[in-house]
Amino acid sequence: MLYEMLSGAAPFHAATNNDVYQAVLHKTLDFNRPCFSKTAQSLLSQLLEKDPQRRLTSPTAIKKHPFFAGLDWD
Protein backbone atom coordinates (compact mmCIF):
# COMPACT_ATOMS: atom_id res chain seq x y z
CA MET A 1 0.00 0.00 0.00
CA LEU A 2 2.85 2.39 0.80
CA TYR A 3 4.35 1.81 -2.66
CA GLU A 4 0.99 2.68 -4.23
CA MET A 5 0.51 5.73 -2.02
CA LEU A 6 3.92 7.14 -2.97
CA SER A 7 3.88 6.27 -6.67
CA GLY A 8 0.21 6.12 -7.60
CA ALA A 9 0.67 2.64 -9.08
CA ALA A 10 0.86 -0.95 -7.86
CA PRO A 11 4.38 -2.35 -7.42
CA PHE A 12 3.56 -5.22 -9.77
CA HIS A 13 0.93 -5.20 -12.45
CA ALA A 14 0.08 -7.42 -15.42
CA ALA A 15 -2.83 -8.50 -17.59
CA THR A 16 -3.82 -11.51 -15.48
CA ASN A 17 -3.64 -12.48 -11.82
CA ASN A 18 -1.24 -15.29 -12.70
CA ASP A 19 1.04 -12.83 -14.49
CA VAL A 20 0.98 -10.57 -11.42
CA TYR A 21 1.89 -13.55 -9.26
CA GLN A 22 4.82 -14.35 -11.57
CA ALA A 23 5.95 -10.73 -11.48
CA VAL A 24 5.93 -10.74 -7.68
CA LEU A 25 8.06 -13.87 -7.69
CA HIS A 26 10.56 -12.93 -10.37
CA LYS A 27 10.74 -9.19 -11.01
CA THR A 28 12.41 -6.46 -8.99
CA LEU A 29 10.75 -3.30 -7.78
CA ASP A 30 11.06 -0.15 -9.87
CA PHE A 31 12.33 2.70 -7.70
CA ASN A 32 13.44 4.88 -10.65
CA ARG A 33 10.88 7.56 -9.88
CA PRO A 34 11.31 10.85 -8.03
CA CYS A 35 8.56 9.88 -5.56
CA PHE A 36 10.89 7.36 -3.87
CA SER A 37 13.41 8.87 -1.48
CA LYS A 38 16.34 6.73 -0.38
CA THR A 39 14.62 6.08 2.96
CA ALA A 40 11.37 5.12 1.18
CA GLN A 41 13.31 2.74 -1.05
CA SER A 42 14.97 1.21 1.99
CA LEU A 43 11.70 0.71 3.85
CA LEU A 44 9.83 -0.68 0.85
CA SER A 45 12.68 -3.04 -0.02
CA GLN A 46 12.63 -4.42 3.51
CA LEU A 47 8.84 -4.69 3.68
CA LEU A 48 8.59 -6.37 0.27
CA GLU A 49 11.56 -8.69 0.77
CA LYS A 50 10.78 -12.03 -0.89
CA ASP A 51 12.59 -14.08 1.75
CA PRO A 52 10.28 -14.18 4.80
CA GLN A 53 13.25 -14.70 7.13
CA ARG A 54 14.80 -11.41 5.99
CA ARG A 55 11.55 -9.41 5.60
CA LEU A 56 10.88 -6.51 7.97
CA THR A 57 7.79 -7.61 9.92
CA SER A 58 8.18 -6.33 13.46
CA PRO A 59 5.89 -3.34 14.11
CA THR A 60 8.52 -1.94 16.48
CA ALA A 61 11.26 -2.20 13.86
CA ILE A 62 9.02 -0.70 11.20
CA LYS A 63 8.24 2.28 13.42
CA LYS A 64 11.97 2.80 14.09
CA HIS A 65 12.87 2.86 10.39
CA PRO A 66 14.37 6.22 9.29
CA PHE A 67 11.46 6.73 6.88
CA PHE A 68 9.32 7.52 9.92
CA ALA A 69 11.88 9.74 11.65
CA GLY A 70 10.15 12.57 13.47
CA LEU A 71 6.76 10.86 13.50
CA ASP A 72 5.16 10.69 16.95
CA TRP A 73 3.43 7.32 17.03
CA ASP A 74 1.63 8.23 20.24
Side-chain angles (χ1 to χ4, degrees), residues 20-73:
V20 171
Y21 177 74
Q22 292 301 316
V24 169
L25 290 175
H26 302 292
K27 290 189 177 182
T28 58
L29 293 170
D30 176 19
F31 291 123
N32 294 322
R33 300 178 191 186
C35 59
F36 296 118
S37 66
K38 293 294 181 190
T39 56
Q41 290 178 36
S42 170
L43 177 61
L44 287 165
S45 294
Q46 292 175 58
L47 291 171
L48 297 173
E49 168 62 46
K50 292 177 184 176
D51 180 352
Q53 298 299 322
R54 296 178 45 203
R55 188 177 305 138
L56 185 62
T57 59
S58 162
T60 302
I62 293 168
K63 289 178 179 180
K64 289 182 180 179
H65 190 279
F67 180 80
F68 296 113
L71 181 65
D72 182 0
W73 288 94

Side-chain angles (χ1 to χ4, degrees), residues 3 6 11 33-34 52 61 66:
Y3 187 101
L6 292 172
R33 300 178 191 186

